[in-house]
Amino acid sequence: MVSFRKKKSSKSAGKTGDVAAANGAPPQADEARDETSAIPSRPPTMDDIPDLLATMEKEKGEKAANATKRIYELCDVGHKQNRVPMVCSGKYDVLTPLANCLTQESGDGRHLACLALNNLSIPTENKRVMALGPSSAAVIGGLCKVIAEDKQESYLCCICLMNLSFLEASITTMLQHSPVAEGDSPAAPLDNPDSLIRILEKLLKNAPAVPKSGSGKSEGVRWACGLIKNLAKSEENAALLGQTDIPKCVVENVRNSTTPPSRWTSNSLEDFSLFVILNLAQWPVSKESLVDAGAVDVVKPIMAEGDLQGLKATMACAFLGAPWGDFPETGSAAAKSISELMTNIIEKKGKDGQYAYGVFKLYTATKAYRDLSAAASVDEASTKVLAVPSAVALCLQVVSDLVLAADDEANGGSKYVPDVKSAEYSAGAISNMLSAILQAG
């Protein structure tokens, strides 16, 4: 999630990054031109918000931009404590006026509104209001309009939408955003060029094959892929995404990369694109679009990486039905990394230097192990690579924990309560490995 703060420089946005930008963290936007002549000398306070909102709605040009700037200053990095009250207190509606600013031709007001909305989208409490509340259509619609018109703030709008998409309850509703003119009949997202999904598709399709690093266009594509990564976690969303050219675009992002996977940084275009491939690959409704785009051949070499990218590539190849012979080290590396991921999720921990707890779902890891065991079932020797006692016990534990969780009087289960799909996939893995399990010892 991305926060912005005012810079002392008066240069335009997107030129300067914070200290973390070198390793893929979000760029920090510069402040728009500082029109100090119309701004009171004292810093703004929360009590000023009603008057500032009235100015934003009634005035145009410099006065409206200055009022927007004051709203932004109230939620900048030095005033994080104001972000939740500004959105959730019920005292005022800051979202609709800010969303209206996104439709302005004035660059200053639009830019400042983007910065303010980005900062307000960070707190968890605010995400639900901004993505699902009364002003959600205006907010999402305004952000989409800036992206569709290819304004210089497009990348800021993609970041804001990505921040909102970290609320998993919002992702299905967000991708259904499909505005029509007043009086027109509703249009399905895939039938509407103004829908969020079609706007994202157009952004990715129109990107240069090798975008200039750090440019507004490349930043827009990068953060759009970060947004799609989150949206693709839903099977319903994956069904829509699989009917667009987005799967082909993210595969091409990985194919065209000139950076070795070992040097991909967190939140880079390649990192996001491989995550999209992984998330789409796990759903039957979207995996064929990846197969048609040649994803297996593109992702297969990345499996040899012994890090996060290698883990993502390994699970993606398992989902996409790669043959057992494609997995490095006769499958032992894949078995070890995925079973380790399952263990870490159950124990509610991440892996230092690779992923935090919560990045991967248990149903993703267990499904990957099931599909990997299906690929290994071509012969008994291959199945034995996966049917090690610790992995078998882990699959049995997932099934037993679900059973125990359903019985209020049962004791002895782990602290992690798996979902039904995880138990189903674990049982499927046991079934695939059964011959090797029975012959063990």
Side-chain angles (χ1 to χ4, degrees):
M1 289 167 285
V2 186
S3 175
F4 295 93
R5 62 170 175 251
K6 183 172 67 174
K7 307 285 281 188
K8 293 182 180 179
S9 170
S10 61
K11 298 180 182 178
S12 60
K15 301 291 186 181
T16 306
D18 61 13
V19 293
N23 63 5
Q28 189 160 294
D30 288 345
E31 185 58 72
R33 291 193 306 276
D34 190 6
E35 305 287 356
T36 54
S37 60
I39 300 178
S41 57
R42 66 172 179 82
T45 67
M46 296 288 281
D47 291 337
D48 295 326
I49 290 180
D51 290 338
L52 293 172
L53 295 178
T55 300
M56 290 169 62
E57 291 178 338
K58 295 177 182 178
E59 301 290 344
K60 302 291 183 182
E62 181 182 329
K63 289 185 178 180
N66 286 339
T68 306
K69 182 179 180 181
R70 307 283 277 177
I71 292 291
Y72 159 67
E73 289 171 346
L74 283 170
C75 62
D76 65 13
V77 72
H79 301 86
K80 293 181 180 179
Q81 73 278 5
N82 293 339
R83 292 173 180 174
V84 173
M86 288 177 71
V87 173
C88 299
S89 68
K91 293 181 179 179
Y92 16 67
D93 174 17
V94 301
L95 297 179
T96 302
L98 287 172
N100 291 338
C101 288
L102 298 178
T103 64
Q104 295 178 359
E105 289 302 318
S106 167
D108 285 355
R110 187 177 61 242
H111 178 75
L112 290 162
C114 285
L115 294 178
L117 286 169
N118 264 289
N119 288 344
L120 294 174
S121 69
I122 294 172
T124 302
E125 301 94 323
N126 289 2
K127 295 184 196 300
R128 186 173 297 276
V129 177
M130 295 178 70
L132 301 173
S135 300
S136 60
V139 171
I140 296 175
L143 295 170
C144 286
K145 189 174 189 297
V146 175
I147 299 170
E149 294 178 354
D150 199 23
K151 302 292 188 182
Q152 66 176 1
E153 294 86 9
S154 290
Y155 79 99
L156 294 174
C157 295
C158 289
I159 293 173
C160 186
L161 288 169
M162 187 184 74
N163 283 347
L164 297 180
S165 70
F166 281 106
L167 178 69
E168 289 196 26
S170 74
I171 59 177
T172 301
T173 301
M174 286 179 66
L175 200 62
Q176 289 291 329
H177 179 76
S178 180
V180 295
E182 187 175 352
D184 289 355
S185 299
L190 293 177
D191 299 329
N192 185 356
D194 295 325
S195 66
L196 172 59
I197 191 170
R198 288 303 188 191
I199 289 172
L200 293 174
E201 178 188 39
K202 182 180 178 181
L203 177 62
L204 267 60
K205 287 177 67 176
N206 291 344
V210 184
K212 182 180 178 182
S213 178
S215 67
K217 177 70 72 173
S218 68
E219 288 297 276
V221 172
R222 176 161 74 104
W223 294 110
C225 288
L227 167 61
I228 296 167
K229 174 206 74 170
N230 290 347
L231 296 176
K233 292 178 180 179
S234 155
E235 185 172 12
E236 184 177 343
N237 284 355
L240 293 175
L241 293 165
Q243 297 178 65
T244 70
D245 285 332
I246 288 174
K248 179 181 177 181
C249 291
V250 294
V251 170
E252 290 303 307
N253 289 343
V254 177
R255 191 197 306 272
N256 294 331
S257 176
T258 58
T259 305
S262 60
R263 295 177 57 192
W264 292 355
T265 55
S266 176
N267 294 346
S268 65
L269 175 64
E270 297 91 344
D271 176 55
F272 282 146
S273 296
L274 187 54
F275 254 126
V276 175
I277 293 172
L278 171 62
N279 289 342
L280 291 178
Q282 69 180 314
W283 306 115
V285 292
S286 52
K287 64 183 290 185
E288 288 306 317
S289 62
L290 292 169
V291 173
D292 293 342
V296 175
D297 289 337
V298 172
V299 173
K300 184 167 57 176
I302 305 173
M303 288 195 288
E305 302 291 334
D307 57 9
L308 172 61
Q309 308 305 342
L311 173 62
K312 286 153 58 178
T314 297
M315 291 195 289
C317 284
F319 294 145
L320 294 172
W324 180 251
D326 285 349
F327 294 92
E329 301 177 27
T330 62
S332 60
K336 180 180 178 181
S337 62
I338 297 177
S339 62
E340 179 185 39
L341 175 61
M342 292 165 57
T343 300
N344 288 341
I345 294 173
I346 290 173
E347 295 180 356
K348 297 186 177 181
K349 65 181 184 180
K351 185 174 183 180
D352 290 344
Q354 292 198 26
Y355 54 84
Y357 171 70
V359 170
F360 297 104
K361 301 295 185 182
L362 184 60
Y363 63 74
T364 300
T366 52
K367 185 175 185 180
Y369 210 78
R370 184 203 67 177
D371 291 354
L372 190 65
S373 66
S377 62
V378 292
D379 63 76
E380 188 175 307
S382 299
T383 305
K384 286 182 178 179
V385 173
L386 291 118
V388 295
S390 58
V392 174
L394 195 61
C395 291
L396 290 170
Q397 179 185 337
V398 172
V399 176
S400 66
D401 283 348
L402 181 68
V403 174
L404 291 171
D407 187 348
D408 294 335
E409 297 180 0
N411 295 310
S414 69
K415 295 180 180 179
Y416 189 94
V417 180
D419 56 282
V420 174
K421 283 188 176 293
S422 297
E424 175 191 342
Y425 298 144
S426 296
I430 294 170
S431 176
N432 291 336
M433 298 184 294
L434 194 57
S435 61
I437 294 173
L438 295 177
Q439 292 185 24

